[in-house]
Amino acid sequence: MHKCCIQTQQATLTKSTTSIVETVYSKKKIGSICNGIGNSIMSSCHNNDGDDDHSADDAICPVVITEATRAHIRRRVRTAFDFFDQTLMLYKIVQLIFCFNGGKDCTVLLDLLMRYCQEQNIDSGQIPMLYIESDDSFEEIDDFVKHCVNRYKVKLIKYKDSLKVALTQMTQDLPLIKAVFVGSRNTDPYCGNLKAMQKTDSDWPDMMRLNPLLEWSYHDIWHYIHMYKVPYCSLYSRGYTSIGYKSNTFQNPHLLCTECAMVVDAAAAPTSDAIATPCYRPAWELVDPTTERAGRRSHK
């Protein structure tokens, strides 16, 4: 078996008794687990003084974040906070909810919203989290959602079926809710023409969609996560870049590590042990953001 694949299996066995929630600040370098593959430049980061066990002292950051990038992300944060200010001029706290699916974009939205609430002395439990359950969801996502509920002290509201069905049921159960925060970006499917505040379509429950992340890029999302040491679902450290359900999501082929890709190409037999467990670089190492959804099967 190829050495980087062996390392992958060893890492999996070693971490089998630990939480599935990762942060980018781990004593071990997350992601580029193949020797010499992945990030070639590393920088030390400050210790995380967070309140959970998913970060470590003497941490190492897997990407270099320049001062220009830091300034850019800080402007993004300020713009998001301004958006929250505008929202509270139009809606009362009891009229708001945020949609959360455990993905990277929603994770950034959640962290932004909770930081804003802290800055404004708003109880985090006043804006509930809407989560759509599914029998086809990744266990890592379900567990990460639980982690976020505990970390941010938010109220969890769960429904099954589609988002449309969930919102329909929610309007009956929680009639005060008039607007929902969504982690959509304008590069997402069908989101290119969305506005920051936009009503749902006529055949949906009457609700205002609040989209504070529309202008954020794929790499903006990961830079924010790195800068603010935000926990994220562990699937992203294993080559997933856009997470849906188990039946339509797989590791992004653009993140297959170089040595594993060479072994796959050279393998004489498809059942060879050498390609049994290929390893992938983490999501933030994706070079071309237009291939973000290369790990998702399109709807037929």
Side-chain angles (χ1 to χ4, degrees):
M1 182 177 292
H2 196 275
K3 64 178 181 180
C4 59
C5 298
I6 293 174
Q7 290 173 336
T8 302
Q9 288 191 336
Q10 289 175 339
T12 301
L13 291 173
T14 301
K15 296 173 65 177
S16 62
T17 59
T18 64
S19 170
I20 57 83
V21 180
E22 301 274 8
T23 76
V24 293
Y25 300 93
S26 170
K27 286 183 179 178
K28 293 183 179 179
K29 178 183 174 185
I30 296 175
S32 304
I33 52 180
C34 302
N35 291 335
I37 295 179
N39 296 313
S40 58
I41 302 176
M42 307 290 290
S43 65
S44 296
C45 301
H46 294 295
N47 294 341
N48 185 357
D49 294 325
D51 57 357
D52 57 82
D53 295 329
H54 307 299
S55 54
D57 292 338
D58 301 321
I60 292 179
C61 180
V63 295
V64 171
I65 302 178
T66 67
E67 283 305 312
T69 296
R70 289 181 182 277
H72 171 71
I73 296 301
R74 291 189 187 106
R75 289 192 294 271
R76 290 288 198 208
V77 171
R78 189 66 261 166
T79 300
F81 279 25
D82 289 344
F83 180 87
F84 297 149
D85 284 339
Q86 295 170 19
T87 298
L88 289 179
M89 293 176 65
L90 298 172
Y91 299 96
K92 298 177 180 178
I93 287 290
V94 294
Q95 295 179 306
L96 301 173
I97 195 168
F98 66 92
C99 189
F100 190 74
N101 63 8
K104 62 187 183 303
D105 304 325
C106 288
T107 296
V108 168
L109 173 59
L110 170 60
D111 191 77
L112 279 168
L113 188 57
M114 293 300 103
R115 289 180 62 212
Y116 175 82
C117 286
Q118 184 177 29
E119 182 180 283
Q120 299 296 321
N121 294 316
I122 298 171
D123 183 355
S124 62
Q126 289 187 271
I127 306 179
M129 170 194 288
L130 174 64
Y131 178 56
I132 312 301
E133 291 185 299
S134 171
D135 295 333
D136 193 28
S137 64
F138 286 93
E139 291 182 3
E140 291 90 340
I141 288 288
D142 290 336
D143 289 346
F144 180 65
V145 171
K146 295 175 184 176
H147 167 76
C148 288
V149 170
N150 293 329
R151 175 183 173 86
Y152 294 101
K153 305 297 186 291
V154 294
K155 179 181 178 181
L156 179 64
I157 297 175
K158 299 187 291 185
Y159 290 100
K160 279 203 169 185
D161 217 312
S162 66
L163 177 59
K164 184 177 182 179
V165 171
L167 289 177
T168 301
Q169 184 63 47
M170 187 193 73
T171 56
Q172 300 173 19
D173 297 341
L174 302 169
L176 290 179
I177 301 295
K178 301 300 179 184
V180 54
F181 288 105
V182 183
S184 299
R185 292 184 288 116
N186 56 22
T187 54
D188 293 336
Y190 314 112
C191 294
N193 297 318
L194 273 183
K195 298 177 181 178
M197 291 188 182
Q198 184 164 322
K199 281 278 191 178
T200 51
D201 294 340
S202 58
D203 58 339
W204 279 61
D206 186 18
M207 190 80 53
M208 181 65 78
R209 291 184 61 179
L210 306 172
N211 305 295
L213 302 184
L214 274 185
E215 301 300 321
W216 288 54
S217 71
Y218 177 85
H219 291 112
D220 286 343
I221 293 295
W222 283 112
H223 286 145
Y224 178 93
I225 289 172
H226 292 171
M227 278 181 59
Y228 294 104
K229 307 179 184 180
V230 181
Y232 56 86
C233 178
S234 62
L235 292 173
Y236 289 113
S237 67
R238 305 206 299 270
Y240 292 85
T241 54
S242 177
I243 301 173
Y245 295 108
K246 289 187 291 186
S247 61
N248 70 354
T249 306
F250 49 94
Q251 288 153 304
N252 194 316
H254 295 278
L255 289 173
L256 180 65
C257 79
T258 305
E259 290 185 21
C260 280
M262 291 172 62
V263 171
V264 169
D265 291 340
T271 58
S272 170
D273 288 342
I275 60 172
T277 54
C279 46
Y280 291 78
R281 293 177 286 120
W284 53 88
E285 291 190 14
L286 188 68
V287 175
D288 181 0
T290 65
T291 62
E292 174 185 355
R293 296 180 68 86
R296 293 281 290 272
R297 294 185 179 89
S298 59
H299 296 289
K300 295 181 178 180

